[in-house]
Amino acid sequence: IQFNKNKDRFYFKQENTTSLSLSDLFKYFSVLKKYKDVEGVVKIEEVNGEELVKKFAEEMEEMLGRKMKSVKRLAEAAEDADLDHEYNETLEFDYYNSLLINKVDEDGNPVPLGGEFPLEQNEHFNKLPVNTQQSNIQVPTNVYNQHTDILNGVYMSEALNDIFIENFQKDPTLTWQYFGSSTGFFRLYPGIQWTPDENGVVTFDCRNRNWYIQAATSPKDVIIVVDVSGSMKGLRMTIAKHTINTILDTLGENDFVNIIAYSDYVRYVEPCFKGILVQADLDNREHFKHLVDELHVKGEGKVKNAMKESFRILNEAAALGQGSLCNQAIMLITDGAMEDFKDVFEEFNWPERRVRVFTYLIGRELTFAENVKWIACNNKGYYTHVSTLADVQENVMEYLHVLSRPMVINHDHDIIWTEAYMDSVMFNTQAQSLLLMTSVAMPVFSKKEETLSHGILLGVVGTDVALRELMRLAPRYKLGIHGYAFLITNNGYILSHPELRPLYKEGKKLKPKPNYNSVDLSEVEWEDTEEKLRSVMVKGETGTMSLDVRSSVDKGTRVIFLKNDYFYTVINETPFSLGIVLSRGYGQYIFTGNVSVEEGLHDLLTPDLTIADEWTYCEIDIDPAHRKLNQLQAIVKYLTGKDPNLQCDAQLLQQTLFDTVVTAPMEAYWTALMLNASSMDDGIETAFLGTRSGLLRFLKYAGIEKRVGKSFLTSTDKENMFTLDHFPVWYRRAAEHPAGQFLYYMPRQDTRGSSHRKINLKHKTISLTDVLFIKPKLSCSFFVQDTFATNCVCFCSFRVSLFDYQAMCKTSSHSVSGARPLLSVFTNYRSQPVVLPSRTHPSFLFVAYVHKKRGNMLQPCDTEYPSFVYEPSVKETNSIIKCGRCQKMFVVQQVPESNLLMLVVQGDCDCSRQYPPITLEPMEVKYILSLCDRMRSQKIRRRPESCHSYHPQENADDCGGTYFIRLSSCLLFICISFTALVCFRSPQVDFF
């Protein structure tokens, strides 16, 4: 029952009155009697977690298998189309450019590459206007959209249109399908209108997307060697930095990297990473970018020692079984190389040439072009000349084509799955943990005999999979009130988890966190201090284990203690592992009852009833005709026989109908109470009831103009509704509360970052306050207007420390750089030690220091915050607090059969100076161990199964650039004749 509240206070009337009390109200709670009546048809079954996780994994494997089959059909069609297509240098072809469709010029005529392209809003595609009968083409601004290569590729890939439509008909749950070409164009189905950025520029380039890069190459170890000698000053250094950042953007979590800078001497950009390879995850890539931005030029360029050091790192990693154990490459970025490298390559790389060397000549000068190209051509690499910033993107992408040659020649169509990424369309419509997507992709090769040894990569095909749809296969009702399912990658990163929070609030805007897709399992299941759960899941094992956990609810402000059983297994043909959690007690058993469809339908169609619309009672996304139905409408159509083609969950429907019949008496009871206004308790706004099947009955007693809890039990208040992500907060808390007692719960909006809240208490007035859990940002002044002592917490509760490894903290612009290898915890602030479970080392604890920082910028951080849990054994306590010249007396007494305490306090003595408020604000954790130790630590990971780094038929002669400029004798004669003629007629012409 939701009560109106006056300035955050609840009041109980103690005087004799004829009004209906809470106890009387629940005496008439006829649902209990109804359950008794049907007790004979109720079955209670124990949930078998091992069978459940196996079943979920098989269903997910089947679903993902359908996506893989669709991608395979696209790859085969693209390769066949290319085999039948003969390159035409004079080809003219009009296609639908997604940026230009439906646009006209000043005369009202369609612009070139535009034309009429019908678009219609589609429920399946987040109500975006799309064309499900046609794909269209997106081309980045820096690529000429009518270049001969583009026109030939677009013309050839027209064959994919029919396959796109056919795939969608075979699997209506498919979302976006696409082909990313190695020449830069992007064919997308269904076709859409592409919107440029605020500058009118289209920066999206499919070739630097994760799905493209991972599908185009096998895992790789990369050492970037950059020249920082004096000759690299100015624009050259700017181009070099941009080149490094672009290379970093082509790396993913299955790759490893390091960066070495050289001039007169060799130095590591990050000294902490000396002599090792580090995983190229998002955090490390961003860290490197920050360090690269601070590089300065000085001295003379001597690259030989830097090359030796690079080879040593790669050779040692291979010998020790570290890194990717696949492709290895050195990226040399310089404006010239005068030294002789032959002896270095003879010692470290020849004759096998296992390490490829790619060279990037920076600047307009070509004096050293021959030397720089010789390095690449003699080490199975590729040479490019980067003279402007605009050249960087295209030139960097060339190395991916070289690395793909062995795979292309052997026609190894490896299917890859990406880590999670954000679907920005769903920012404000779904639970945070369900915003993410994953992509499945496959490379497309040239089958032409004449190009076989060159290994021509045509592009990559792929499709997106909404993780929300995948998690629907692990229904909430089978997992219980506190149960949930989660997915992780082979690197231990979260794909989906109820505790994953990929967004943060900046002002009024929601933004993705910088590291949202590299959150480790150990950062959400932080009770797994030894990372045993993480290790076995990353290894792809199947099994079970138990953990005692502190689970936070209500946006992290409250805590419940659970004994959880974890069941886990691998999803075959993917790099993913699935885990499910069942809590002891409510998660161990499930009960079902059986009622007739007629009786259930009758009670289902009442105005006070809703069901969890995010749950899948019936599948409404397969048939387009069903997509405009909500779940309740679909259930009615199915049960009445109006649409037998609907696929519905029989077990969930049976449970829902049973709950509907059992709870039906509440409608009449609540209505009678509302009509008999004189018997109602003052202040009741809403009565509501929920069941495990996602059913919610409620009746609003007060109109919207009188309601205080306006967002409570509405679609916008996700915390208090049945969602795909969780059971309601009031439901979860009540489940852990002693049977027969009342739980008082204050629905609240986001409390983090708000000011301290106080309850005004007049002298000698009794206030009943919910102190079962105290939220962060509150102090003891929550109980009374003037703080009377910290004893109010100590006498009635015990403190529990909670940790947030996904927090965002404010930092000042002059804070210590993350590049510094050691952080002193005794500098510039006061701190106090706490013990924090290690996130990086399973064998010991970190000693941590916490403090508050001021500033405006937000960055990812770890925080520790307290929660105070009510101790039910304390029925009553009192004490006297001395406050200078006066003393304050208080009494705390438990209100029977509730989680409320009655507090009476003497109000004529001010103790605020002696006993300042206890702040429960989260505080940032600073580690006493060096930052270097944390950064160097390598967590357990599972390498991808396939590797393609070598093929004996590879033709490495194509190594870039123009080694010698060859002119025909005829053309040479014409040029000489023309020059002579000009000189004869213009004697004052100067030659440069």
Side-chain angles (χ1 to χ4, degrees), residues 3-212:
F3 287 88
N4 200 333
K5 54 189 178 185
N6 179 20
K7 295 184 179 179
D8 297 321
R9 279 182 296 177
F10 292 127
Y11 290 101
F12 282 180
K13 296 180 180 179
Q14 300 295 322
E15 61 225 304
N16 293 328
T17 177
T18 57
S19 63
L20 191 66
S21 69
L22 283 174
S23 299
D24 293 333
L25 181 62
F26 276 86
K27 287 177 183 176
Y28 292 98
F29 197 56
S30 52
V31 171
L32 296 177
K33 181 177 182 302
K34 188 68 176 180
Y35 270 108
K36 273 289 185 184
D37 294 341
V38 298
E39 189 174 3
V41 297
V42 171
K43 292 181 180 179
I44 298 178
E45 299 176 359
E46 187 169 358
V47 178
N48 188 320
E50 294 179 357
E51 290 184 3
L52 204 58
V53 73
K54 180 181 178 182
K55 180 177 181 294
F56 290 166
E58 288 173 351
E59 291 178 352
M60 289 182 179
E61 183 182 335
E62 181 182 351
M63 176 188 175
L64 298 179
R66 293 197 299 270
K67 315 303 178 189
M68 290 188 280
K69 287 179 181 178
S70 296
V71 169
K72 287 179 181 177
R73 286 192 287 267
L74 290 173
E76 290 170 2
E79 290 181 354
D80 290 343
D82 176 71
L83 186 61
D84 296 337
H85 174 71
E86 186 173 340
Y87 190 88
N88 183 355
E89 293 186 356
T90 60
L91 178 66
E92 294 183 4
F93 177 66
D94 287 333
Y95 61 88
Y96 288 111
N97 185 300
S98 60
L99 190 67
L100 303 172
I101 55 172
N102 300 327
K103 291 186 178 181
V104 295
D105 59 20
E106 294 178 353
D107 299 325
N109 299 315
V111 299
L113 303 183
E116 184 179 351
F117 193 81
L119 297 171
E120 184 178 347
Q121 279 194 354
N122 191 296
E123 296 282 334
H124 182 63
F125 294 93
N126 297 311
K127 297 183 179 179
L128 288 174
V130 300
N131 185 331
T132 56
Q133 301 303 313
Q134 181 77 37
S135 64
N136 59 7
I137 303 296
Q138 178 268 344
V139 184
T141 300
N142 65 325
V143 176
Y144 178 43
N145 58 25
Q146 296 196 60
H147 189 279
T148 304
D149 289 347
I150 298 293
L151 294 178
N152 275 269
V154 170
Y155 180 80
M156 175 274 291
S157 64
E158 282 284 300
L160 293 179
N161 267 319
D162 292 339
I163 311 302
F164 286 142
I165 297 172
E166 181 185 333
N167 280 345
F168 193 40
Q169 290 172 345
K170 289 182 177 180
D171 181 8
T173 64
L174 279 172
T175 54
W176 307 104
Q177 303 176 66
Y178 40 82
F179 169 61
S181 167
S182 60
T183 58
F185 73 83
F186 180 60
R187 182 178 287 278
L188 179 65
Y189 173 88
I192 63 168
Q193 175 86 50
W194 201 279
T195 304
D197 62 21
E198 61 274 10
N199 300 314
V201 176
V202 177
T203 57
F204 176 90
D205 189 327
C206 62
R207 295 168 299 175
N208 59 24
R209 307 302 290 180
N210 232 349
W211 52 267
Y212 185 99

Side-chain angles (χ1 to χ4, degrees), residues 410-440:
N410 208 40
H411 276 71
D412 291 313
H413 289 85
D414 292 339
I415 290 183
I416 64 95
W417 290 89
T418 68
E419 69 269 27
Y421 62 92
M422 188 73 69
D423 180 2
S424 58
V425 175
M426 301 170 72
F427 261 25
N428 299 310
T429 60
Q430 307 296 347
Q432 286 196 30
S433 64
L434 303 172
L435 294 169
L436 304 180
M437 314 276 285
T438 182
S439 293
V440 55

Side-chain angles (χ1 to χ4, degrees), residues 247-260:
I247 293 172
L248 289 172
D249 286 336
T250 66
L251 304 180
E253 58 186 35
N254 290 319
D255 303 320
F256 287 77
V257 67
N258 206 334
I259 303 179
I260 293 175

Side-chain angles (χ1 to χ4, degrees), residues 938-956:
Q938 301 282 339
K939 288 179 177 287
I940 294 176
R941 58 183 296 273
R942 175 164 39 109
R943 290 185 177 88
E945 294 179 359
S946 63
C947 171
H948 308 286
S949 59
Y950 170 78
H951 198 286
Q953 297 178 20
E954 178 185 348
N955 181 354

